[in-house]
Amino acid sequence: MATKTARIKAGFTLGGEQAEADPLAGEAFVESGLYEVIADRRDPRCFLIGRTGSGKSAALQHLEDTEPDHVIRITPEDLSLPYITDLQVIRYMDSLDVKLDLFWIALWKHVLLVEIIRHRYGVTSPETKQRFLVGLKERLVRQPGKQAALDYLDEFEGKFWCDADERVREITDRFTERLGVDGSVSASVASFGVKGAVSSATEQTTESKSEMADRYQRIVNETQLSKLNQMLTVLNDEILDEANFTYVVIDDLDRDWVDERLSNDLIRCLFRTVLDMQRVANLKIVVALRSNIFQELDFAASGGQEEKFRALVLEMRWTKPLLEEVLDERVKLAAESSNLTAKSFRDLTPHSNNTRGNPIQYILQRTLLRPRDAIAFANQCFAVAAGKHRLSWEDIQAAERQYSANRLLALRDEWKQTYPGIDQVVVKFRGAPARMTRDEFQDRLDECMLLMTAPEFTGVRWMTDLSRAMWESSAGEASWNELYQPLLALLYRIGLVGCALTGSAAPLFFADDALLVESESTVDRCEWFHVHRMFHKALDVVRTGERREQQASSAPSQSAKAEDVSQSVS
């Protein structure tokens, strides 16, 4: 009797879409060239930048799994940073425009330094700390400069071996105590709170407020960075050697772990700290950050070192062959537990044909070339095909609508912090042709700009910046690039639209060429504008060849649209 072929069980998946909730993440990890750079102890690139779902967290988790004795993970949520940013005196100094960078840098250096020492020597109690210090001082008996640097560690006495959040509170409390001694307005802050102190400050002359800000700035500038920097020398020369090479990984910087108003300053100062600590030879600090947060960091506030930071960036980018490899590896593992005789994703997909094409390419063309997209689409397909031996084309197309809707929600969630109301912009492309002429695309951009007149639109600030030329220029004065390129660049960057150059049949998207629409001459050559296939089903995009008479009749003419814009401005 022939053995029956196993069927796809209900609940069969290729793992979770997020690394922290993915049972297959470790075993099915694909070691791309990107991971090799992350793990390379001599490669200085350490800022892992990418969109949500691009594999940043998975890469750091794999490093931690592969090098368990050499990796320290620091989680921002565990550092009591909300406690610091909520302190009345910190908020008061912020209201006086006191630059807190040196304090934030000292804080990060302190956290990193102590975590590395605790990990290296297993410091978990006062006794182990004392043994470590005595032993190190004996080795440095003929190096008084380095011995003096160790005094910094003695200042924290009982808090050294505690959890990071307690040590962060300790160093912050010491800082605010110093402000209490040296700052003349600390009493008013304590008595009246921030609002009372600020109200009192507003009654003073501009000169007195300036003097107060200068006094606080001096105190911040005297933060013990010199002692911390001396300890970094000790760390490099005496504590970390090749056998004790240490990675520090920092992830989850996109979560609500601190007041949003100060989060960018904290992250920017973390980047400055990492840059400075690259002097330690046997240490590599790897920081993962979402692309949209990275682009908001004001590196000019760090003394114009933007080039230095960008030289250390490693962008998470994937190709279709690599994503297919990701799916293959997951199918091998998932199939074993489900008794499926599949060695690759191709074994579970329908056959290619001239009419519908290649099913794997069909799926990958509807991703932003991120592992999360590919896994999500495959899982949705398997949910539809439960009980069958393999997927059919009908299963893939049935799964696409739900997948597309979920990806549209994910797009909103990814960018709503940076661009509030972005979902209202995206829906302006509902019912659009999959391939738009420049005039058709311009009509949609005009509708997006007119959202500024809608009371419920929450993105007035950023939309004003992107459409300024439209409101300020007289008719016929501004070029198409001046009027529309800023908004085009945003829609291109988030992955919603792509462009096909003159004479080109295939559109290019951000994953293909990140800088395509940054050049005025290139934008001038763009003949067609495309909504990404990922969002076609969710936005009811009209495919080429389908009738669009109803859409055309309901859309205002170009001249009417221009008149609407003019009336709104006036």
Side-chain angles (χ1 to χ4, degrees), residues 339-374:
N339 297 319
L340 287 172
T341 55
K343 300 298 183 182
S344 69
F345 186 52
R346 190 177 303 276
D347 292 339
L348 297 177
T349 60
H351 298 295
S352 301
N353 60 55
N354 293 333
T355 304
R356 289 171 164 171
N358 183 312
I360 297 178
Q361 292 304 310
Y362 183 94
I363 288 172
L364 295 180
Q365 285 169 356
R366 285 152 181 80
T367 73
L368 298 182
L369 295 186
R370 301 178 297 188
R372 182 176 299 177
D373 300 333

Side-chain angles (χ1 to χ4, degrees), residues 420-468:
I422 189 66
D423 53 323
Q424 296 167 273
V425 172
V426 170
V427 297
K428 292 301 180 184
F429 290 86
R430 186 175 299 281
R435 187 176 76 159
M436 292 173 278
T437 64
R438 183 176 289 260
D439 285 344
E440 288 172 324
F441 184 57
Q442 179 176 317
D443 285 346
R444 302 281 171 171
L445 295 183
D446 285 339
E447 290 181 19
C448 294
M449 293 180 184
L450 285 171
L451 280 170
M452 290 176 54
T453 65
E456 68 278 7
F457 182 58
T458 56
V460 171
R461 178 175 296 180
W462 61 265
M463 184 61 82
T464 298
D465 291 338
L466 296 183
S467 59
R468 191 175 305 281

Side-chain angles (χ1 to χ4, degrees), residues 107-289:
L107 195 64
W108 283 119
K109 282 188 177 180
H110 174 81
V111 168
L112 291 165
L113 177 66
V114 176
E115 285 298 308
I116 292 166
I117 292 174
R118 288 178 75 230
H119 179 268
R120 168 70 177 85
Y121 295 101
V123 178
T124 57
S125 67
E127 293 75 23
T128 52
K129 177 210 170 186
Q130 195 58 34
R131 285 198 297 270
F132 146 67
L133 281 176
V134 169
L136 194 55
K137 285 182 178 179
E138 288 176 355
R139 286 164 48 195
L140 300 177
V141 66
R142 296 185 178 180
Q143 301 182 62
K146 290 182 179 178
Q147 274 198 334
L150 296 181
D151 293 340
Y152 174 82
L153 301 181
D154 272 332
E155 293 180 18
F156 294 91
E157 300 175 353
K159 295 291 185 182
F160 186 92
W161 65 88
C162 295
D163 289 338
D165 65 329
E166 291 190 52
R167 284 183 276 107
V168 167
R169 289 180 184 237
E170 173 78 2
I171 194 172
T172 306
D173 290 344
R174 286 174 178 267
F175 175 66
T176 55
E177 284 172 12
R178 185 152 185 254
L179 291 172
V181 173
D182 297 341
S184 62
V185 298
S186 59
S188 66
V189 174
S191 302
F192 303 110
V194 176
K195 290 183 178 178
V198 173
S199 176
S200 173
T202 56
E203 296 174 2
Q204 302 170 18
T205 66
T206 302
E207 182 180 1
S208 65
K209 286 201 297 183
S210 176
E211 291 173 352
M212 195 175 299
D214 289 343
R215 184 181 299 114
Y216 274 92
Q217 191 67 65
R218 284 196 301 274
I219 297 170
V220 172
N221 293 348
E222 291 168 3
T223 301
Q224 296 185 356
L225 275 176
S226 58
K227 288 187 178 180
L228 278 164
N229 290 334
Q230 289 172 340
M231 272 306 304
L232 293 185
T233 302
V234 175
L235 184 67
N236 181 63
D237 297 346
E238 311 295 339
I239 296 176
L240 292 183
D241 53 26
E242 191 170 349
N244 292 288
F245 188 96
T246 300
Y247 298 95
V248 179
V249 299
I250 304 176
D251 197 2
D252 298 328
L253 287 166
D254 56 340
R255 296 186 179 178
D256 297 329
W257 46 273
V258 74
D259 185 335
E260 182 182 335
R261 184 173 48 84
L262 292 171
S263 63
N264 282 1
D265 286 346
L266 281 163
I267 295 172
R268 177 172 47 76
C269 289
L270 169 62
F271 275 47
R272 287 185 62 183
T273 302
V274 172
L275 183 66
D276 191 31
M277 290 185 70
Q278 286 204 326
R279 72 174 87 166
V280 181
N282 292 295
L283 173 68
K284 185 168 185 176
I285 304 172
V286 185
V287 182
L289 189 64

Side-chain angles (χ1 to χ4, degrees), residues 42-73:
R42 301 306 166 202
D43 196 306
R45 286 172 289 179
C46 57
F47 299 132
L48 198 55
I49 308 301
R51 296 189 58 172
T52 58
S54 60
K56 301 184 300 298
S57 296
L60 295 187
Q61 183 62 57
H62 189 67
L63 179 65
E64 196 170 2
D65 294 340
T66 305
E67 303 270 6
D69 298 328
H70 294 271
V71 176
I72 302 169
R73 178 177 288 270

